[in-house]
Amino acid sequence: MVQPTSFVRPCLDVGRIIWKFIASGRNEGAEGFIRTEGLSKHLPAPLSVHVFRLVWRQLLFFGHNGLVWAALVLIFRTHLGWGSLMALPALAVIVLNGAWVAVLIGIIATRYRDIPPVTSSVVTLMFFMTPIVW
């Protein structure tokens, strides 16, 4: 069996972690307003609060997965340069994009209840089209 180099494994894992963050945001965004129906009827708060809760929960999962990635970087002794700090603005863009997509898909899924399974299937198909798999 060929041993992975010290650079390949952390790069592969960071791609999978970011994809999991994006995919979970899309899938849970489709069901976000449906799951919080009772809460939104009885709590006088804007609907964006539910989206922010969803994004915050996904960020927490991302942070926990980031700790695993940091451990892999230490184990494989991967050198990270100053360019790695560009991941922070990229994460901000992914979070903002995920928020508005969660609102859009959530609104559509509230009206058409078949959208969450369709969204899940499309996200799964998109995973196989990304370079993470290849």
Side-chain angles (χ1 to χ4, degrees), residues 1 10-11 16 22 32 40 46-47 53 65 79 83 85 105 121-122 124 130-131 134:
M1 186 166 130
C11 288
R16 291 181 63 207
I22 293 170
S40 61
L47 293 177
R53 287 178 54 222
N65 290 334
H79 175 68
L85 291 177
I105 293 175
S121 297
V122 168
T124 302
T130 62
W134 307 108

Short mmCIF file of all heavy atoms in Angstrom, two decimals, residues 1 10-11 16 22 32 40 46-47 53 65 79 83 85 105 121-122 124 130-131 134:
data_model
loop_
_atom_site.label_atom_id
_atom_site.label_comp_id
_atom_site.label_asym_id
_atom_site.label_seq_id
_atom_site.Cartn_x
_atom_site.Cartn_y
_atom_site.Cartn_z
N MET A 1 0.85 -1.18 0.00
CA MET A 1 0.00 0.00 0.00
C MET A 1 0.89 1.23 0.00
O MET A 1 1.86 1.32 0.73
CB MET A 1 -0.88 0.00 1.24
CG MET A 1 -1.89 1.09 1.26
SD MET A 1 -3.12 0.74 2.52
CE MET A 1 -3.11 2.28 3.36
N PRO A 10 -3.82 15.99 4.78
CA PRO A 10 -4.50 17.16 5.34
C PRO A 10 -5.28 17.95 4.29
O PRO A 10 -6.35 18.47 4.58
CB PRO A 10 -3.37 17.99 5.94
CG PRO A 10 -2.31 17.01 6.25
CD PRO A 10 -2.40 16.00 5.14
N CYS A 11 -4.78 18.01 3.06
CA CYS A 11 -5.50 18.74 2.01
C CYS A 11 -6.80 18.02 1.64
O CYS A 11 -7.83 18.65 1.42
CB CYS A 11 -4.62 18.90 0.77
SG CYS A 11 -3.29 20.07 1.00
N ARG A 16 -12.85 17.75 2.47
CA ARG A 16 -14.03 17.02 2.95
C ARG A 16 -14.72 17.77 4.09
O ARG A 16 -15.95 17.78 4.17
CB ARG A 16 -13.63 15.64 3.41
CG ARG A 16 -13.22 14.74 2.24
CD ARG A 16 -12.84 13.37 2.67
NE ARG A 16 -14.01 12.73 3.27
CZ ARG A 16 -13.93 11.77 4.18
NH1 ARG A 16 -12.75 11.36 4.60
NH2 ARG A 16 -15.00 11.23 4.67
N ILE A 22 -20.64 22.89 3.88
CA ILE A 22 -21.52 23.43 2.85
C ILE A 22 -22.75 22.53 2.67
O ILE A 22 -23.89 23.01 2.62
CB ILE A 22 -20.76 23.59 1.52
CG1 ILE A 22 -19.68 24.67 1.65
CG2 ILE A 22 -21.71 23.92 0.38
CD1 ILE A 22 -18.73 24.74 0.49
N GLY A 32 -35.06 23.85 7.66
CA GLY A 32 -34.96 24.76 8.79
C GLY A 32 -36.27 25.36 9.25
O GLY A 32 -36.59 25.33 10.44
N SER A 40 -41.46 29.28 15.69
CA SER A 40 -41.64 30.56 15.01
C SER A 40 -43.08 31.08 15.14
O SER A 40 -43.31 32.29 15.04
CB SER A 40 -41.26 30.45 13.54
OG SER A 40 -42.06 29.50 12.88
N PRO A 46 -37.71 37.57 14.49
CA PRO A 46 -37.61 37.48 13.03
C PRO A 46 -37.22 36.06 12.60
O PRO A 46 -36.55 35.33 13.34
CB PRO A 46 -36.52 38.49 12.67
CG PRO A 46 -35.90 38.93 13.93
CD PRO A 46 -36.76 38.51 15.06
N LEU A 47 -37.61 35.70 11.40
CA LEU A 47 -37.31 34.37 10.90
C LEU A 47 -35.82 34.16 10.66
O LEU A 47 -35.35 33.03 10.62
CB LEU A 47 -38.10 34.10 9.61
CG LEU A 47 -39.61 34.00 9.78
CD1 LEU A 47 -40.27 33.82 8.42
CD2 LEU A 47 -39.95 32.86 10.69
N ARG A 53 -29.26 30.51 13.83
CA ARG A 53 -29.05 29.35 14.70
C ARG A 53 -28.49 28.18 13.91
O ARG A 53 -27.58 27.49 14.37
CB ARG A 53 -30.37 28.93 15.36
CG ARG A 53 -30.85 29.86 16.44
CD ARG A 53 -32.18 29.41 17.04
NE ARG A 53 -32.13 28.04 17.51
CZ ARG A 53 -33.11 27.17 17.33
NH1 ARG A 53 -34.21 27.53 16.71
NH2 ARG A 53 -33.00 25.96 17.79
N ASN A 65 -14.52 19.79 13.66
CA ASN A 65 -13.81 19.10 12.59
C ASN A 65 -12.48 19.78 12.29
O ASN A 65 -11.52 19.11 11.91
CB ASN A 65 -14.66 19.05 11.32
CG ASN A 65 -15.84 18.13 11.48
OD1 ASN A 65 -15.82 17.20 12.26
ND2 ASN A 65 -16.88 18.40 10.72
N HIS A 79 3.67 21.81 6.52
CA HIS A 79 4.06 23.21 6.67
C HIS A 79 2.96 24.10 6.13
O HIS A 79 2.53 23.96 4.99
CB HIS A 79 5.36 23.48 5.93
CG HIS A 79 5.75 24.92 5.95
ND1 HIS A 79 6.15 25.55 7.11
CD2 HIS A 79 5.78 25.86 4.98
CE1 HIS A 79 6.41 26.82 6.84
NE2 HIS A 79 6.20 27.02 5.56
N GLY A 83 -0.05 32.28 3.68
CA GLY A 83 -1.18 32.24 2.75
C GLY A 83 -2.35 31.44 3.30
O GLY A 83 -3.48 31.60 2.83
N LEU A 85 -3.74 31.91 6.00
CA LEU A 85 -4.66 32.83 6.69
C LEU A 85 -5.77 33.34 5.78
O LEU A 85 -6.76 33.88 6.25
CB LEU A 85 -3.88 34.01 7.27
CG LEU A 85 -2.96 33.66 8.44
CD1 LEU A 85 -2.19 34.90 8.88
CD2 LEU A 85 -3.75 33.09 9.60
N ILE A 105 -33.72 28.37 0.15
CA ILE A 105 -34.21 26.99 0.09
C ILE A 105 -35.25 26.74 1.18
O ILE A 105 -36.22 26.02 0.95
CB ILE A 105 -33.03 26.01 0.21
CG1 ILE A 105 -32.12 26.11 -1.02
CG2 ILE A 105 -33.52 24.58 0.35
CD1 ILE A 105 -30.88 25.28 -0.94
N SER A 121 -30.64 14.93 -2.34
CA SER A 121 -30.17 14.15 -3.49
C SER A 121 -29.24 14.97 -4.37
O SER A 121 -28.21 14.47 -4.83
CB SER A 121 -31.35 13.65 -4.32
OG SER A 121 -32.15 12.79 -3.56
N VAL A 122 -29.58 16.22 -4.61
CA VAL A 122 -28.75 17.08 -5.45
C VAL A 122 -27.40 17.34 -4.78
O VAL A 122 -26.36 17.32 -5.45
CB VAL A 122 -29.49 18.40 -5.77
CG1 VAL A 122 -28.56 19.43 -6.39
CG2 VAL A 122 -30.66 18.14 -6.69
N THR A 124 -25.86 15.38 -2.69
CA THR A 124 -25.09 14.14 -2.79
C THR A 124 -24.51 13.98 -4.18
O THR A 124 -23.33 13.60 -4.34
CB THR A 124 -25.98 12.94 -2.44
OG1 THR A 124 -26.50 13.11 -1.13
CG2 THR A 124 -25.19 11.64 -2.50
N THR A 130 -17.47 16.98 -7.54
CA THR A 130 -16.41 17.86 -7.08
C THR A 130 -15.06 17.17 -7.17
O THR A 130 -14.98 15.95 -7.23
CB THR A 130 -16.64 18.27 -5.61
OG1 THR A 130 -16.62 17.10 -4.80
CG2 THR A 130 -17.94 19.01 -5.42
N PRO A 131 -13.98 17.94 -7.17
CA PRO A 131 -12.65 17.32 -7.19
C PRO A 131 -12.26 16.62 -5.91
O PRO A 131 -11.23 15.96 -5.86
CB PRO A 131 -11.70 18.52 -7.42
CG PRO A 131 -12.55 19.67 -7.76
CD PRO A 131 -13.95 19.36 -7.35
N TRP A 134 -12.32 12.97 -6.86
CA TRP A 134 -11.37 12.57 -7.90
C TRP A 134 -9.98 12.87 -7.46
O TRP A 134 -9.01 12.43 -7.93
CB TRP A 134 -11.70 13.28 -9.21
CG TRP A 134 -13.12 13.07 -9.57
CD1 TRP A 134 -14.12 13.99 -9.51
CD2 TRP A 134 -13.75 11.85 -10.00
NE1 TRP A 134 -15.31 13.43 -9.88
CE2 TRP A 134 -15.11 12.13 -10.20
CE3 TRP A 134 -13.27 10.58 -10.24
CZ2 TRP A 134 -16.00 11.17 -10.62
CZ3 TRP A 134 -14.17 9.63 -10.67
CH2 TRP A 134 -15.51 9.91 -10.85
#
